[in-house]
Amino acid sequence: MTSTKPTRASSTPTKARASTAFSRWRTSDILITAVIGVVFGVVFWGWNTISPAFDKLFAGSPWGGLIVGVWLLPGVLAPLVTKRAGSGILAESLAALVSVLFGAPWSGGSILLYGVIQGIGAEVGYAVVLYRIWKPLVVFLSGATAGIASGLLDVTTYYPEFATGWKVVHVVATTIGALVVCGLASLALHKALQASGALPARREQRRIPA
């Protein structure tokens, strides 16, 4: 009779990655997450200035959600880089706070609420695989779940007058925009950071036997 029990050699790396995601943060994890949040807070400030020009393209339609992906990037990127559960919420919230300090066209309370909700949405994509898999498909999933969260918050707070059909289209458009922008940009930025040598060696990688 053939045993289906996984061997110790094949299960150890998965267990190590999973436990690391929920273990105590290192100083480098906090610093990397903070840097991502601050940098994207400045990016948000710039995008807040530029994005109204794109809004005109979708005036009178529910497709404006296609351009929101930029605002969701830190929530998807930070967990991918640090491999830590919760870093997406922290990075997204910090980016929202920095954009408020720089001067944003919306109320500070609203922006901070969006930061927290969008960060939670991004974390959902990694949480469904228990933070064990960091392949591109999961990164795109994180972008999609962040988009869903942001789109639902939009139709609740900013577009309650939309007909049900338009609300659905807006959430779908936000999800598509976030999936594409956050997925592609997060993977590209992560690869660039790895190639630059700016990231410290991951402890969990050293635990994986050759």
Side-chain angles (χ1 to χ4, degrees):
M1 181 176 177
T2 303
S3 174
T4 57
K5 185 177 180 179
T7 63
R8 183 174 182 177
S10 62
S11 62
T12 299
T14 299
K15 290 180 178 177
R17 285 192 292 269
S19 62
T20 301
F22 295 99
S23 62
R24 189 172 65 180
W25 287 37
R26 294 171 296 169
T27 302
S28 62
D29 299 323
I30 298 172
L31 290 175
I32 291 171
T33 302
V35 168
I36 290 174
V38 171
V39 168
F40 273 93
V42 178
V43 172
F44 285 3
W45 170 74
W47 189 239
N48 291 341
T49 305
I50 298 171
S51 61
F54 293 95
D55 285 338
K56 294 178 181 177
L57 296 175
F58 304 104
S61 83
W63 291 98
L66 288 171
I67 66 168
V68 306
V70 174
W71 285 302
L72 310 180
L73 255 172
V76 177
L77 177 63
L80 176 63
V81 174
T82 65
K83 306 294 188 291
R84 288 291 188 273
S87 61
I89 298 173
L90 178 59
E92 190 74 46
S93 300
L94 184 57
L97 176 61
V98 171
S99 72
V100 170
L101 296 177
F102 270 76
W106 304 282
S107 73
S110 172
I111 292 174
L112 294 177
L113 173 63
Y114 264 83
V116 173
I117 298 299
Q118 291 167 342
I120 292 173
E123 294 277 353
V124 169
Y126 296 111
V128 295
V129 293
L130 302 178
Y131 295 92
R132 294 183 178 186
I133 302 171
W134 303 97
K135 294 183 177 179
L137 181 62
V138 179
V139 179
F140 282 105
L141 175 62
S142 175
T145 54
I148 292 172
S150 185
L152 290 175
L153 187 59
D154 281 345
V155 298
T156 302
T157 59
Y158 280 104
Y159 308 117
E161 77 282 5
F162 274 6
T164 301
W166 275 39
K167 288 181 178 179
V168 172
V169 171
H170 180 81
V171 173
V172 170
T174 305
T175 302
I176 293 173
L179 183 154
V180 174
V181 173
C182 294
L184 293 177
S186 293
L187 290 171
L189 289 171
H190 184 221
K191 184 177 181 179
L193 288 170
Q194 286 180 315
S196 71
L199 299 178
R202 296 285 90 186
R203 185 179 304 160
E204 64 271 28
Q205 291 175 339
R206 293 199 295 272
R207 289 176 176 172
I208 299 174

